[in-house]
Amino acid sequence: MTSIEQSASRPDSETVLQEVFGYHKFRDGQKEVIDAVIHGQSCLVIMPTGGGKSLCYQIPALVLDGLAIVISPLISLMKDQVDQLLANGVQAACLNSSMTPEAQSETWQQLHQGTLKLLYVSPERALMGDFIERMQTKSVNLIAIDEAHCISQWGHDFRPEYAQLGTLQQAFGHVPIVALTATADEATRQDICQRLSLQDPHIYLGSFDRPNIRYTLMEKHKPQAQLIRFLETQRGMSGIVYCNSRKRVEQVSEKLREQQIRAAAYHAGMSIEQRAQVQEGFQRDDIQVVVATVAFGMGINKPNVRFVVHYDIPRNIESYYQETGRAGRDGLPAEAVMLYDPSDIGWLYRCLEEKPEGPQKQVESHKLHAMGAFAEALTCRRLVLLNYFGEYRESPCGNCDICLDPPSLFDGTEHAQKALSCVYRVNQSFGVGYVVEVLRGMQNQRIKDHGHEKLTTYGLGKEHSHEYWVSIFRQLIHRGYLLQNIARSSVLQLTEEARPLLRGDIALELAVPRLGLNPRSKADKLGKRNYDKKLFAKLRKLRKAIADDEDIPPYVVFNDASLIEMAEMIPTSQGELLAVNGVGQRKLEKYGDAFLDAIEDHIMIGDEDISFG
């Protein structure tokens, strides 16, 4: 068969999109990347989490003759991708160390027979000499490298084995390489292209914006109570809570379980079996909340995560962006909440100081500084995020805490003078908590031991709460009137800028402290859809039963977005069900009758109440 005849017999990318994956149109950037790969051009693809990166190599793999090799960093991520492809009727498999010898033998048999279209492997396996030799005997049509930011030394998650993947260019010189990631600044993008030896690649830089995610920052006062109050607004929803230490992960997850929340801990100190059990329980909706360190990372391919909470501030904006991006992958409204205490970032700086001097330390210091600036910003949080990645905008997003409830300002001159005077009166020798106790006139032994109940500033701020004054002190630190001396256990000290303020030579505007979760009533216009909530509940219950029966995560059957569309359109025939996004030919054949029966029963029965897990 000639190349012209082969081309004519291939399915086109639009047909594959609709019939295999069940989508009716491409998202921004997908078509141009797919066309470039099909025509043999290497690509660097920067798309947000949930933006449809995987289709950029999966569709060319199905259009082209031969085998696509996909390099993925985590076993769980490989398995999840393969499960979803198999559910869509695509011949895919993986090779990894968790597989039994029999399972690996079966995959090699499929490769020998030429029936596989996509093979998922780790970077370590992809670099093995015998693996490369065996793949060179196959008709490899493309090599996809997922989480490509791991290649770059300027990225936030550099992995040495990833950096060696440039050798694949020599081994498979004629094969297009597709590097994909959600997070890469300009320096990281250049480094990826250089290390992979990409020749004149097609570069697609999509928007970093995830408009369905609402970004909210709360001052951290009583974090466990704040977290539980937030989770009360998310009953029945799946979410992740990130903490910076294993000890805190264990403490927080235990506290949530005491509150009858289906929560589980996840960190690198747990066994592989324990971690796999937690991840599987979360993917199958048996666990509602995973409390984790960053060890719970790139393998999270669950589309219906409705919230991500950062109990502690992350080390860089890339990590924050990627972790919050695990919420709302299905495009439905999602929440990203961070609890912020400046002392947390001080602790991260102290950890950084212990590292050896060099370029890597400079990069980490720059990124940590940018993270702190994001947390302390009083302008639209989405603009700060997008500007960091070089996507400059001027219009506020309307879906973050700053936009929805702008900080109220007041003449804080008198408050500042009381606070600064109290720091001075205690001889600039105590931290925030103690100074606030003196200012509020608390009666405790420590204050009496120091004789501070006799100070003129004692009790001057008794009309406000402890948390209120902590917020005032934090603002004075941010504005440069006070500093926390890390070398002296973070005691407060006046700066030169404090003098004219104390003398009354200048006035100062401060933000009214925010002490709780912001009102949600202003913000819930986003994503409002007119669909039958009771039918949606019934479809979720059916999906869970099918998933449990087939031993797969519920979203592999259909994701929430597809179920909402069903509850919106109320399809009663196979043709109408096929019009729902996410319903392809294979899923229609496999699950169509069951879902159509459930919809028909709902129409017949009407307002019967239903509960679901």
Side-chain angles (χ1 to χ4, degrees):
M1 186 181 290
T2 68
S3 60
I4 294 175
E5 289 172 329
Q6 284 180 325
S7 178
S9 66
R10 291 173 185 161
D12 60 56
S13 57
E14 287 88 351
T15 301
V16 173
L17 178 75
Q18 292 179 20
E19 295 188 356
V20 177
F21 296 100
Y23 296 110
H24 303 290
K25 61 180 182 179
F26 288 106
R27 296 187 187 181
D28 289 347
Q30 286 180 327
K31 184 68 166 63
E32 58 191 83
V33 172
I34 288 166
D35 287 346
V37 178
I38 289 172
H39 288 95
Q41 188 176 9
S42 291
C43 298
L44 172 62
V45 181
I46 316 294
M47 282 184 179
T49 303
K53 291 187 295 296
S54 58
L55 290 184
C56 290
Y57 61 83
Q58 289 173 348
I59 288 179
L62 299 182
V63 170
L64 297 169
D65 297 321
L67 172 74
I69 299 172
V70 184
I71 297 169
S72 183
L74 294 172
I75 290 172
S76 57
L77 190 54
M78 293 182 208
K79 183 180 183 303
D80 194 68
Q81 291 270 13
V82 169
D83 283 346
Q84 293 192 59
L85 286 167
L86 291 174
N88 282 313
V90 176
Q91 292 301 306
C94 54
L95 280 171
N96 61 60
S97 57
S98 74
M99 296 167 64
T100 63
E102 292 78 14
Q104 292 197 40
S105 177
E106 184 180 341
T107 298
W108 282 114
Q109 184 67 22
Q110 288 176 290
L111 281 166
H112 178 69
Q113 293 170 346
T115 57
L116 277 185
K117 292 301 294 180
L118 292 104
L119 176 66
Y120 286 74
V121 298
S122 68
E124 292 84 358
R125 184 178 293 270
L127 293 168
M128 290 179 180
D130 61 335
F131 178 81
I132 290 174
E133 286 177 16
R134 293 181 80 165
M135 290 301 102
Q136 284 173 326
T137 67
K138 309 297 176 188
S139 178
V140 176
N141 56 35
L142 68 92
I143 297 171
I145 302 173
D146 205 4
E147 308 294 352
H149 61 273
C150 298
I151 293 166
S152 172
Q153 64 176 327
W154 305 118
H156 63 286
D157 199 13
F158 175 60
R159 301 187 183 192
E161 65 274 12
Y162 252 77
Q164 299 166 30
L165 292 174
T167 58
L168 296 176
Q169 183 69 53
Q170 285 78 51
F172 301 93
H174 62 291
V175 174
I177 292 177
V178 188
L180 311 100
T181 182
T183 45
D185 56 19
E186 177 61 28
T188 303
R189 297 195 291 268
Q190 291 181 8
D191 204 24
I192 291 170
C193 290
Q194 183 177 352
R195 285 174 179 262
L196 289 179
S197 302
L198 301 184
Q199 304 298 318
D200 190 27
H202 173 82
I203 299 176
Y204 177 77
L205 180 59
S207 173
F208 287 91
D209 192 12
R210 294 284 306 281
N212 61 313
I213 297 177
R214 178 183 304 157
Y215 298 104
T216 302
L217 187 138
M218 298 164 57
E219 286 197 55
K220 185 190 284 189
H221 295 298
K222 296 175 181 175
Q224 287 190 348
Q226 288 173 295
L227 175 61
I228 289 167
R229 282 201 301 274
F230 171 72
L231 292 181
E232 286 172 356
T233 71
Q234 302 290 317
R235 288 195 177 277
M237 302 298 181
S238 293
I240 307 169
V241 178
Y242 282 107
C243 304
N244 278 351
S245 71
R246 298 176 187 179
K247 181 180 179 181
R248 188 164 285 172
V249 163
E250 296 285 357
Q251 291 171 339
V252 172
S253 60
E254 184 178 351
K255 189 72 174 176
L256 295 186
R257 287 192 295 273
E258 289 174 5
Q259 298 294 317
Q260 309 305 310
I261 295 169
R262 288 179 288 127
Y266 187 107
H267 57 71
M270 297 164 60
S271 69
I272 293 173
E273 292 77 15
Q274 287 173 315
R275 281 182 281 165
Q277 191 174 8
V278 171
Q279 184 151 330
E280 184 171 332
F282 184 58
Q283 288 178 317
R284 299 191 177 196
D285 292 343
D286 296 326
I287 294 171
Q288 180 198 350
V289 180
V290 173
V291 185
T293 60
V294 293
F296 195 62
M298 289 179 288
I300 312 310
N301 198 29
K302 180 178 166 71
N304 65 328
V305 175
R306 295 270 67 88
F307 63 88
V308 169
V309 176
H310 281 89
Y311 198 87
D312 304 305
I313 190 169
R315 286 171 167 78
N316 51 66
I317 284 181
E318 286 93 340
S319 294
Y320 173 76
Y321 177 82
Q322 194 161 51
E323 286 153 14
T324 57
R326 290 173 189 136
R329 291 171 62 103
D330 52 13
L332 300 177
E335 300 274 355
V337 174
M338 186 199 300
L339 303 179
Y340 176 59
D341 182 341
S343 65
D344 289 347
I345 207 162
W347 177 77
L348 291 176
Y349 272 117
R350 289 195 292 277
C351 293
L352 187 58
E353 285 303 313
E354 296 174 5
K355 295 192 174 184
E357 295 296 332
Q360 194 63 32
K361 183 176 180 178
Q362 291 175 352
V363 169
E364 289 183 32
S365 178
H366 165 77
K367 291 179 182 292
L368 182 55
H369 179 76
M371 188 71 240
F374 168 81
E376 293 168 8
L378 291 177
T379 54
C380 169
R381 300 206 188 276
R382 198 176 311 271
L383 291 186
V384 177
L385 273 181
L386 296 177
N387 289 350
Y388 177 84
F389 290 112
E391 186 176 338
Y392 300 107
R393 296 189 187 177
E394 294 182 1
S395 300
C397 73
N399 194 35
C400 71
D401 58 324
I402 299 294
C403 289
L404 294 168
D405 190 15
S408 300
L409 301 178
F410 73 106
D411 184 351
T413 308
E414 187 177 336
H415 282 63
Q417 289 171 336
K418 289 179 181 179
L420 296 173
S421 295
C422 199
V423 171
Y424 180 75
R425 296 294 177 191
V426 299
N427 202 29
Q428 304 182 73
S429 299
F430 295 87
V432 173
Y434 180 82
V435 178
V436 168
E437 289 181 350
V438 174
L439 194 57
R440 295 186 65 233
M442 304 303 290
Q443 298 180 24
N444 60 46
Q445 194 59 46
R446 191 180 179 201
I447 288 176
K448 290 178 182 177
D449 289 345
H450 290 289
H452 288 159
E453 78 280 10
K454 300 171 186 174
L455 296 177
T456 56
T457 53
Y458 179 75
L460 277 181
K462 60 186 176 184
E463 73 277 14
H464 293 298
S465 69
H466 182 92
E467 290 81 11
Y468 182 96
W469 279 111
V470 168
S471 177
I472 297 297
F473 275 97
R474 286 176 179 171
Q475 291 185 62
L476 294 173
I477 293 166
H478 300 162
R479 302 285 287 273
Y481 298 105
L482 286 171
L483 62 83
Q484 290 176 294
N485 191 329
I486 294 174
R488 290 184 55 203
S489 303
S490 295
V491 303
L492 292 174
Q493 295 176 337
L494 302 173
T495 66
E496 285 298 316
E497 286 74 11
R499 293 180 182 274
L501 186 54
L502 277 168
R503 289 196 302 261
D505 294 342
I506 60 171
L508 178 67
E509 277 197 329
L510 294 173
V512 176
R514 292 177 164 177
L515 306 178
L517 195 62
N518 296 336
R520 298 166 56 84
S521 57
K522 299 180 183 179
D524 286 332
K525 293 179 183 177
L526 178 78
K528 278 287 187 186
R529 295 174 66 170
N530 185 24
Y531 65 94
D532 188 325
K533 308 296 191 299
K534 290 183 179 179
L535 175 57
F536 174 67
K538 291 178 181 179
L539 296 179
R540 277 190 70 184
K541 186 176 182 180
L542 171 62
R543 177 183 66 179
K544 184 74 169 81
I546 291 172
D548 287 348
D549 187 53
E550 295 191 6
D551 199 27
I552 55 176
Y555 59 82
V556 173
V557 180
F558 291 119
N559 64 30
D560 279 6
S562 295
L563 297 190
I564 285 178
E565 205 167 310
M566 290 180 201
E568 201 171 43
M569 295 168 58
I570 320 288
T572 56
S573 68
Q574 289 197 346
E576 289 178 357
L577 188 59
L578 200 58
V580 172
N581 276 293
V583 182
Q585 288 290 348
R586 176 64 180 268
K587 288 190 177 181
L588 179 69
E589 294 166 8
K590 198 170 184 181
Y591 308 122
D593 287 345
F595 279 85
L596 287 170
D597 287 346
I599 292 168
E600 187 174 343
D601 287 347
H602 175 74
I603 294 170
M604 296 290 290
I605 295 168
D607 294 332
E608 179 184 311
D609 286 328
I610 193 84
S611 62
F612 60 91

